[in-house]
Amino acid sequence: MLLSNMELLATAPGGVAKLRELILTLAVQGKLVPQDPADEPAGVLLQKIRAEKDRLIAEGKIKRDKPLAEIGEEDKPFELPQGWEWVRLGSTMEMLNGRAFKPSEWIDAGLPIVRIQNLNNPNASFNYCDPSTVVDKNRIDDGAFLISWSGTPGTSFGAFIWSRGAAALNQHIFKCVLIGRVFLPEFLRLSINSQLNVLIAQAQGGVGLQHVTKGVLENLVLVLPPLAEQSRIVTRVEALMRLCDALEAKGQLEAAQHAQLVSTLLGTLTASTTPDELAENWQRVAQHFDLLLDRPEAIDALEQTLLQLAVRGLLVPQDPTDEPASALLQKIRAEKDRLISTGQIKRDKPLPPITDEEKPFELPVGWEWVPIDTLATVGTGTTPSRENPAFFVGGTTPWVTSGETGQTFIDAAEQHVTDAALAQTSLTVYPVGTLIVAMYGQGKTRGQVAELRIPAATNQACAAIALIESAAHHRAYVKLVFEKSYDEIRELSAGGAQPNLNVGKVKSTLIPLPPLAEQSRIVTRITALRRLCADLRQRLAERQSVQARLAEALVQQQAFA
């Protein structure tokens, strides 16, 4: 049953990780391999633990241990197979903590110091120490059984078998001396690691660094199968984990192949030069539609492709009776001159002609290349001094930051400035309809565009594009161009750890300007296609949710079968 559903489980969101958890769960419940009544029962192993402990105590090699609590029925989460026993971890081993090495003890070469990162990452570098300063209890070699008891939940805790040669053990890791040879180290490792959720639930500390106390570890209740069955379980688990590795690698390969397919097929669309060529290339994409759009990132790529086609005039037909864009530009120029003469805006600096080299692609007849500065006034904002409470306390004017450009429209701002801030700083209140472009910010923020639905000022991380009144009809189309140009705008950024744009670069953004009537047709078409993309995302999310629930149900069915 498990093998027959591995492909389904692996393709669910987080499926391979769930598969690994399921394998460990089935392993410690005795459901992965058949029991053999001829195996020496685990009860005999418990007797060996006690006899070995008594011998070591008598020889003075270990101290007499304090009796651990009896294992009650409430400590037993499931019924054991015949011949198995419950045992507390502390009764099977002595735990020796590593040493807290100081940075002053580190040297360039010597005995490697094993820290938590060296357990989780074989490529992590070592610190080194003088081997003559390390006592035996802090030394380890190949085959040492280790338990990491401090770190970040989900990444640091767990049991390990060391296999990288002689080393010194750092603090936060127990070297475990197994008593009585009742556990195969490989089985003990998988058994402990199947209980990490139990350990993490009892971890102490803050949100980041947490630790599991020695007492919690000693009282951890584990299953003890017969030794022969432990060996069969380990062999089976290793084989199934190799299958998981293969499924994971296959998924990664398929993701890369899928991305290549999406890039290739959508690339043929954007390479189209005529509507007829686009129609022909679209048929090729349509043949692979179901395969192409089965991942969210593919739908994102499709939407970006549609925007690319829209601003190249390939998404809707041209109409030779439309008033050409050159006539629109004459009206906008006349409007700008009027506003300049009445002192409502400043005279803009003449921009050099756009050269053929600067034009990214050939425009349809009736279109024009134009810098955004021709259609609008482009400004920015500032951050009033935080040291002056009068600039913010009781403020009523919305003050937009770059982080708020992640939404399509800005209807409210988290922060507000006062009339004093407007009077005493270089803040400008931009009108409704102004397009706000993030010039810098964390993650995906830089290059985002949003539209004001409220009058608002901005901080210095935003460029504000206020279209000239006669160009206001172009707003939806201009916004679409900036959305299409997101990646291109980001590439114009300069700087180190956090690259940023400047107002000059935003002003020089080229707009492929169609006739006004065609702009309307383009915006209508894109709006409809984006709704389809949104529907595709919702259907995909619903399908993935169903798949995840099905995988979860299969996991539970296997675990409790």
Side-chain angles (χ1 to χ4, degrees):
M1 180 68 171
L2 174 62
L3 284 174
S4 63
N5 288 307
M6 283 191 80
E7 286 279 357
L8 172 61
L9 290 169
T11 56
V16 175
K18 290 178 181 176
L19 261 178
R20 295 186 193 277
E21 292 176 11
L22 174 60
I23 290 165
L24 292 181
T25 298
L26 296 177
V28 300
Q29 291 182 2
K31 295 178 180 179
L32 272 189
V33 298
Q35 280 75 49
D36 186 341
D39 290 340
E40 182 180 65
V44 177
L45 299 179
L46 292 179
Q47 296 172 11
K48 290 181 179 179
I49 293 175
R50 189 64 265 170
E52 178 70 6
K53 273 197 171 185
D54 290 342
R55 184 184 65 80
L56 292 173
I57 292 169
E59 294 175 0
K61 293 181 178 179
I62 63 172
K63 295 180 180 179
R64 184 170 296 279
D65 52 341
K66 294 180 180 178
L68 296 170
E70 292 289 332
I71 299 173
E73 291 302 317
E74 68 279 2
D75 298 317
K76 304 172 182 178
F78 51 85
E79 193 73 24
L80 288 181
Q82 191 71 29
W84 290 38
E85 297 286 347
W86 292 104
V87 63
R88 292 197 186 274
L89 180 63
S91 68
T92 69
M93 64 176 59
E94 185 182 13
M95 300 180 192
L96 305 174
N97 195 20
R99 171 179 158 187
F101 286 91
K102 299 176 183 177
S104 59
E105 297 178 279
W106 298 346
I107 57 178
D108 293 335
L111 192 64
I113 300 172
V114 178
R115 297 171 295 163
I116 290 172
Q117 52 264 54
N118 299 119
L119 298 178
N120 295 307
N121 179 9
N123 298 316
S125 60
F126 285 109
N127 292 325
Y128 296 89
C129 66
D130 182 348
S132 66
T133 66
V134 182
V135 298
D136 285 346
K137 76 170 188 174
N138 295 136
R139 286 177 176 268
I140 61 171
D141 212 325
D142 288 348
F145 195 92
L146 309 175
I147 296 178
S148 171
W149 54 270
S150 183
T152 305
T155 60
S156 302
F157 296 119
F160 302 85
I161 299 174
W162 184 249
S163 61
R164 299 173 64 190
L169 195 63
N170 197 46
Q171 65 175 342
H172 304 311
I173 306 171
F174 284 128
K175 178 172 78 171
C176 304
V177 181
L178 306 186
I179 297 173
R181 301 181 186 275
V182 299
F183 272 121
L184 291 180
E186 293 80 5
F187 179 84
L188 181 58
R189 175 179 59 184
L190 71 86
S191 185
I192 293 172
N193 290 339
S194 73
Q195 296 277 57
L196 290 184
N197 60 327
V198 176
L199 294 174
I200 290 171
Q202 299 179 74
Q204 300 177 3
V207 175
L209 188 67
Q210 296 187 332
H211 62 271
V212 177
T213 65
K214 186 177 182 181
V216 167
L217 282 168
E218 288 178 333
N219 280 283
L220 182 66
V221 176
L222 299 177
V223 294
L224 180 63
L227 270 174
E229 188 169 349
Q230 290 183 38
S231 179
R232 295 195 298 272
I233 291 171
V234 167
T235 299
R236 183 64 168 156
V237 167
E238 289 175 348
L240 290 173
M241 289 301 182
R242 284 194 294 271
L243 276 177
C244 287
D245 292 340
L247 287 169
E248 197 165 46
K250 179 173 178 283
Q252 292 169 353
L253 178 63
E254 286 180 347
Q257 292 171 331
H258 186 274
Q260 183 62 45
L261 176 65
V262 169
S263 176
T264 300
L265 292 179
L266 296 185
T268 63
L269 299 183
T270 54
S272 305
T273 57
T274 67
D276 288 342
E277 186 180 351
L278 174 62
E280 181 181 336
N281 289 330
W282 178 256
Q283 289 304 315
R284 186 183 306 162
V285 172
Q287 293 173 10
H288 302 280
F289 206 71
D290 290 342
L291 175 64
L292 193 67
L293 300 179
D294 69 342
R295 304 183 188 211
E297 57 270 23
I299 301 175
D300 294 341
L302 173 64
E303 186 168 342
Q304 187 60 217
T305 299
L306 295 172
L307 293 176
Q308 297 277 352
L309 296 172
V311 303
R312 293 180 58 189
L314 293 170
L315 208 56
V316 299
Q318 278 78 50
D319 186 339
T321 64
D322 288 341
E323 183 181 59
S326 56
L328 299 177
L329 292 176
Q330 292 175 8
K331 294 177 183 178
I332 292 168
R333 183 67 262 173
E335 176 71 9
K336 261 199 168 185
D337 289 342
R338 184 186 67 77
L339 293 173
I340 292 168
S341 66
T342 58
Q344 295 180 56
I345 63 172
K346 294 181 180 179
R347 181 170 296 280
D348 45 347
K349 295 180 181 179
L351 294 171
I354 300 169
T355 66
D356 288 340
E357 291 76 19
E358 292 175 301
K359 299 173 182 177
F361 47 83
E362 193 73 24
L363 292 180
V365 174
W367 290 42
E368 296 287 341
W369 282 110
V370 58
I372 186 60
D373 197 37
T374 300
L375 308 176
T377 59
V378 183
T380 186
T382 190
T383 300
S385 173
R386 297 284 186 180
E387 296 180 359
N388 188 345
F391 288 162
F392 288 96
V393 177
T396 57
T397 299
W399 183 69
V400 173
T401 64
S402 60
E404 290 168 304
T405 58
Q407 48 199 326
T408 304
F409 296 97
I410 298 176
D411 296 298
E414 292 185 5
Q415 302 180 66
H416 294 75
V417 292
T418 62
D419 291 344
L422 297 175
Q424 298 176 41
T425 71
S426 58
L427 282 171
T428 298
V429 178
Y430 294 102
V432 171
T434 300
L435 302 179
I436 305 298
V437 177
M439 294 192 291
Y440 50 94
Q442 298 294 326
K444 298 181 179 180
T445 301
R446 186 177 74 257
Q448 292 178 160
V449 61
E451 181 180 340
L452 287 182
R453 279 179 169 169
I454 52 170
T458 76
N459 71 356
Q460 69 279 6
C462 298
I465 301 171
L467 292 167
I468 301 302
E469 186 176 347
S470 56
H473 298 295
H474 306 284
R475 181 178 299 113
Y477 175 79
V478 170
K479 184 179 180 183
L480 182 153
V481 173
F482 271 90
E483 290 171 334
K484 184 279 302 183
S485 304
Y486 172 76
D487 290 323
E488 300 156 35
I489 290 172
R490 287 174 66 84
E491 289 177 3
L492 297 174
S493 306
Q498 186 172 305
N500 57 78
L501 298 163
N502 57 48
V503 173
K505 290 179 178 177
V506 175
K507 285 183 177 181
S508 63
T509 301
L510 292 181
I511 304 295
L513 191 68
L516 190 58
E518 188 170 348
Q519 289 182 38
S520 178
R521 296 195 295 272
I522 289 171
V523 169
T524 299
R525 182 67 172 150
I526 278 291
T527 300
L529 290 172
R530 280 180 146 176
R531 280 198 293 267
L532 287 176
C533 288
D535 289 342
L536 285 171
R537 288 190 185 93
Q538 182 176 353
R539 291 177 190 176
L540 181 59
E542 290 171 352
R543 189 175 75 196
Q544 290 178 332
S545 176
V546 169
Q547 190 178 30
R549 291 198 300 271
L550 178 58
E552 189 67 35
L554 284 170
V555 167
Q556 293 179 354
Q557 177 184 347
Q558 292 287 338
F560 295 104

